[in-house]
Amino acid sequence: MFIRILAGIAALVAAIVVGGVSGLTFYVWPTGLHDHELAITPEVIQHLRSLKSEHKFGPDPAAFYPGAMHESERLIAQTSVDSTIESLITELPARPQRSTVLRTIKHTLARPGTSESEERDQILSYLTKVMAVCGVDSSDELFNVWRYGFPYGWLM
């Protein structure tokens, strides 16, 4: 009996590790948990438009970010973030839900983009700003699962 329980625990741990390493965990990660309505006002939409119009992925000494090494990488990353913002500007007035924001962000992160780790971290920084503008305080580990394969926040 004890051996079966131990084998079951080992199989569960192995499944979690394989899911994290393979990226499967990200694709099945839910975005609708803790869903609630957001206060999407014209000011929020305007703030999103302002954020979209910013030049992104340039040098940021405050964040110790040197900027994208190549203009093509910068454009890929900026296009990714800007398309997320544009989708939210379109979708949020009709469906002002936390799940709308996280689902849109998840679709963006699922698309192939830059492979540079600095740009990937900076994408998360911009998406965190987008979430703050929309009134979403947490990604519920979506960012950790995308970036590292595991919900490391659960260990804290």
Side-chain angles (χ1 to χ4, degrees):
M1 179 69 158
F2 178 72
I3 301 278
R4 285 186 180 174
I5 292 172
L6 193 57
I9 291 171
L12 178 65
V13 169
I16 290 170
V17 169
V18 167
V21 170
S22 70
L24 178 64
T25 305
F26 173 75
Y27 291 101
V28 299
W29 200 257
T31 57
L33 299 177
H34 310 109
D35 199 17
H36 57 82
E37 191 166 331
L38 302 173
I40 303 301
T41 63
E43 290 79 21
V44 169
I45 299 298
Q46 184 54 43
H47 199 133
L48 287 172
R49 284 190 177 109
S50 296
L51 189 58
K52 183 181 175 226
S53 69
E54 289 179 9
H55 178 80
K56 299 170 187 69
F57 300 93
D60 184 0
F64 301 104
Y65 175 66
M69 298 303 280
H70 305 285
E71 182 62 15
S72 61
E73 288 285 329
R74 191 196 71 72
L75 283 173
I76 289 168
Q78 178 161 337
T79 301
S80 178
V81 172
D82 287 348
S83 68
T84 302
I85 295 170
E86 186 60 39
S87 293
L88 290 173
I89 289 170
T90 303
E91 292 180 38
L92 280 175
R95 190 166 190 277
Q97 298 290 122
R98 180 178 187 273
S99 60
T100 302
V101 175
L102 292 180
R103 184 188 73 248
T104 303
I105 287 173
K106 185 175 180 179
H107 285 292
T108 297
L109 295 175
R111 284 185 252 150
T114 181
S115 60
E116 297 292 329
S117 62
E118 289 90 0
E119 277 67 54
R120 291 169 67 92
D121 289 340
Q122 203 65 8
I123 284 171
L124 293 181
S125 176
Y126 282 112
L127 294 177
T128 300
K129 289 178 187 178
V130 169
M131 286 175 27
V133 168
C134 295
V136 176
D137 60 344
S138 167
S139 74
D140 278 343
E141 296 300 311
L142 178 66
F143 289 174
N144 281 337
V145 171
W146 175 71
R147 189 70 173 96
Y148 308 112
F150 301 97
Y152 286 111
W154 287 0
L155 301 175
M156 304 286 180

